[in-house]
Amino acid sequence: MIWSEKVVIVTGGASGIGLAAARRFGAEHARVVIADLDSAKAIDAAKTVKAAGASDAVGLACDVGDETQVEATVQATLKRFGRLDVVVNNAGVMIFKPLVEVTRDDWMRMLSVDLLGAFYFTKQAFLNMPDGGAIVNISSVHAVETTPLVAPYATAKAALLSLTRSAAIEGTPKNIRVNAILPGAIDTPMLWENPNVKSGVETVDPAAVGKPEDIADVILFLCSDEARFVQGAAVRVDGGRLNRL
Ligand SMILES: NC(=O)c1ccc[n+]([C@@H]2O[C@H](COP(=O)([O-])OP(=O)(O)OC[C@H]3O[C@@H](n4cnc5c(N)ncnc54)[C@H](O)[C@@H]3O)[C@@H](O)[C@H]2O)c1
């Protein structure tokens, strides 16, 4: 894989895991688009991705839960760089409420960002990616085991694994690979702002907290030629957290 010829979109790339992934692709000299809700942070992130070695990097404002904005982001990428080889569907949000307080609006927002955002980008990728493209969906260990108060998040992350399987099946004849990662606890703002972690409802052993770079390395691998036989996989990267009784 000659990364300097490749174009990568990372959603939610202005912070945490997405920023680490964007920098990792930058270190391989790829051209990187950071698509984030926070446009000022996305523009700043693009500077650090260039400093990491990217051939070029740009930050674009995009709410992944809005299909029109997703389409515009892909069109802006194609206009600037002429191609699209990799999408990392990383943008995500959480809400914390007991089920009796969760509203329809809560569900719609959560599903829009954490599930449909990945669908909108997958659709655009299938329409625009050349042979050999790759998509990585950032799910969570909450897709398979969870805690109280996060039902819409856990549901969206589980459904994202299902979307990954379906997209992999439809991607195979196009030679586009689609895989998912289930991160465990990763040292990002999302982890430490999590009220369940703050209150102890979800216990996090500091020794079992990974770095955003631990996920970024696996993302890069899944998009590389070395992963050519990895299709529709759900790769848990949690330092072994879910193995313990
Ligand atoms: N940190 C963890 O412990 C952990 C564990 C498992 C899964 N994850 C998943 O990893 C992904 C990244 O999480 P993180 O910890 O790096 O979070 P983070 O809060 O550090 O970064 C998330 C980024 O997504 C952006 N974003 C939010 N809503 C958006 C939208 N609608 N459109 C575009 N961008 C949007 C934010 O502006 C932010 O830059 C999320 O999908 C999260 O669910 C994180």
Side-chain angles (χ1 to χ4, degrees), residues 87-109:
V87 174
V88 182
N89 285 310
N90 164 79
V93 287
M94 288 184 96
I95 56 162
F96 300 86
K97 282 185 183 180
L99 271 171
V100 290
E101 288 176 19
V102 176
T103 64
R104 187 179 184 281
D105 283 353
D106 291 333
W107 273 104
M108 296 319 288
R109 183 67 192 149

Side-chain angles (χ1 to χ4, degrees), residues 141 144-145 182 184 208 236-245:
V141 289
V144 288
E145 296 204 355
L182 289 68
R236 180 159 58 84
V237 185
D238 71 342
R241 189 176 180 205
L242 287 196
N243 288 332
R244 288 184 208 106
L245 282 172

Side-chain angles (χ1 to χ4, degrees), residues 23-183:
R23 283 205 191 107
R24 190 69 191 81
F25 284 107
E28 300 296 326
H29 314 302
R31 291 170 284 172
V32 181
V33 175
I34 290 163
D36 201 288
L37 198 55
D38 187 327
S39 68
K41 273 172 68 184
I43 291 164
D44 279 354
K47 289 179 194 153
T48 76
V49 171
K50 264 192 198 170
S55 304
D56 200 356
V58 62
L60 299 178
C62 174
D63 178 351
V64 303
D66 180 332
E67 187 168 15
T68 307
Q69 291 188 35
V70 171
E71 205 174 328
T73 299
V74 170
Q75 286 309 317
T77 301
L78 294 171
K79 192 168 174 205
R80 180 164 175 140
F81 296 123
R83 57 187 293 139
L84 172 61
D85 301 282
V86 166
V87 174
V88 182
N89 285 310
N90 164 79
V93 287
M94 288 184 96
I95 56 162
F96 300 86
K97 282 185 183 180
L99 271 171
V100 290
E101 288 176 19
V102 176
T103 64
R104 187 179 184 281
D105 283 353
D106 291 333
W107 273 104
M108 296 319 288
R109 183 67 192 149
M110 184 61 52
L111 292 173
S112 301
V113 177
D114 289 29
L115 176 63
L116 294 181
F119 158 65
Y120 299 144
F121 268 103
T122 301
K123 182 175 177 179
Q124 290 304 313
F126 280 12
L127 290 169
N128 293 290
M129 254 183 195
D131 205 82
I135 298 170
V136 175
N137 295 327
I138 305 302
S139 175
S140 168
V141 289
H142 281 273
V144 288
E145 296 204 355
T146 194
T147 50
L149 310 180
V150 294
Y153 178 76
T155 303
K157 291 298 189 182
L160 188 54
L161 297 185
S162 182
L163 175 66
T164 302
R165 279 192 295 274
S166 297
I169 290 166
E170 293 193 31
T172 296
K174 303 175 194 297
N175 197 22
I176 295 173
R177 292 180 305 101
V178 188
N179 292 290
I181 296 176
L182 289 68

